[in-house]
Amino acid sequence: MKTAETEEHSVSASCFPQQENQKQEKQLEKGEEGKEPVVEETEEVELRRLLLPDVRDLPDTPPSVVESNFVRYFAPDFMKDGHDQYIYRHANGLCVIGLAPTHVALQAEGGVTSVDFNVGKSDRSELKVTGKRKKVIICDLVIRVKEELVYNAQHFESNTALCKVFSRDTSYTVRCCVKGSLLEVNSRLIKNPELLNTSADREGYIAIIMPKPSDWLKIKQSLFSFDQYKKLKNLS
């Protein structure tokens, strides 16, 4: 025999089937004993994993300023055996040019002893870029990027000489590696060439060049990634 309550429920369900279905769906979502959906629990676990990563998944050493702010490319044996150079490209398109760790000058006994930006008929250290310009200042702890307009910058080919570095009586020509506008050379190297021996990838950089996007896409095809460079030079 049906009770009044059972009959009332049957009438309610038959008269309002949509509401009854929605009510049942909500009960299923909560699960047993009114628990929250499993999906939400999974998302919470994933969010916790991202915010609080397992220390076992972290690298042995934190990434350097250069690794965090630049994509590292290399031009090994550029126009001559042992003349290995790096091109660190910032997100704003600027390229920092310098000597790779395996450059022959850095491997020589005593390392680099002097730097001369007077190449041919031009002294790169006297470069004067008028107006405002894009600039990257590289130091141990921070990289400050100032984006401004550039006027009257000199445009060079990838094989254009930037400077000469000396190791005792031997000189090595350092080149642009990329086609673009020369914005700045690191004139501090003239008085302090030791920067090349101690921090060639930071304060010891050679120059800053701004290539056109189309030129960069062309030259990029001939450059090595950091992993390719390490494999080529048998670096660990």
Side-chain angles (χ1 to χ4, degrees):
M1 179 181 293
K2 294 185 179 179
T3 64
E5 182 181 354
T6 305
E7 290 178 355
E8 182 181 351
H9 178 75
S10 300
V11 172
S12 174
S14 60
C15 295
F16 306 99
Q18 184 174 359
Q19 294 181 4
E20 185 66 21
N21 291 338
Q22 291 177 350
K23 183 178 180 181
Q24 291 177 358
E25 289 176 358
K26 289 182 179 179
Q27 290 177 346
L28 289 174
E29 287 178 358
K30 288 187 176 181
E32 297 180 0
E33 299 179 0
K35 291 183 179 179
E36 293 299 322
V38 178
V39 175
E40 290 187 7
E41 292 183 1
T42 304
E43 290 178 351
E44 183 177 349
V45 171
E46 180 66 15
L47 181 60
R48 185 181 295 274
R49 185 185 68 81
L50 292 174
L51 296 177
L52 301 171
D54 192 328
V55 293
R56 292 171 295 183
D57 297 331
L58 297 176
D60 295 333
T61 56
S64 66
V65 175
V66 170
E67 293 171 341
S68 301
N69 292 272
F70 291 87
V71 179
R72 295 176 290 174
Y73 297 94
F74 292 83
D77 305 313
F78 191 75
M79 299 188 66
K80 206 168 186 179
D81 289 345
H83 287 222
D84 303 335
Q85 294 185 224
Y86 69 73
I87 301 94
Y88 292 166
R89 189 170 190 266
H90 195 271
N92 64 6
L94 290 173
C95 292
V96 181
I97 312 299
L99 302 186
T102 51
H103 192 284
V104 62
L106 300 179
Q107 299 300 313
E109 184 178 355
V112 175
T113 55
S114 64
V115 178
D116 186 5
F117 284 99
N118 191 353
V119 286
K121 299 179 180 180
S122 176
D123 188 344
R124 308 293 188 218
S125 64
E126 295 179 354
L127 172 70
K128 300 295 182 182
V129 179
T130 60
K132 299 178 180 180
R133 58 179 173 169
K134 292 187 177 216
K135 189 174 185 181
V136 175
I137 302 175
I138 306 179
C139 61
D140 284 327
L141 301 178
V142 68
I143 294 180
R144 301 190 302 277
V145 181
K146 189 175 183 182
E147 298 190 44
E148 298 173 328
L149 297 177
V150 182
Y151 299 103
N152 300 332
Q154 298 182 45
H155 302 279
F156 293 137
E157 298 294 327
S158 60
N159 61 352
T160 302
L162 285 171
C163 68
K164 289 184 179 180
V165 297
F166 294 83
S167 178
R168 295 190 175 183
D169 297 330
T170 305
S171 66
Y172 307 92
T173 301
V174 181
R175 302 184 185 276
C176 292
C177 294
V178 296
K179 179 181 179 181
S181 303
L182 178 62
L183 305 186
E184 176 183 310
V185 297
N186 189 2
S187 57
R188 289 180 298 173
L189 298 177
I190 298 173
K191 292 183 178 181
N192 192 7
E194 184 62 20
L195 288 173
L196 279 169
N197 300 318
T198 59
S199 57
D201 63 336
R202 300 188 305 278
E203 291 88 354
Y205 72 95
I206 299 294
I208 297 175
I209 294 177
M210 183 64 178
K212 293 180 180 179
S214 57
D215 290 333
W216 168 251
L217 290 176
K218 293 177 182 179
I219 192 66
K220 178 184 175 182
Q221 304 302 318
S222 63
L223 301 178
F224 283 59
S225 68
F226 180 57
D227 290 337
Q228 291 172 331
Y229 163 72
K230 287 197 302 181
K231 184 177 181 180
L232 178 68
K233 297 296 179 176
N234 295 319
L235 301 176
S236 58

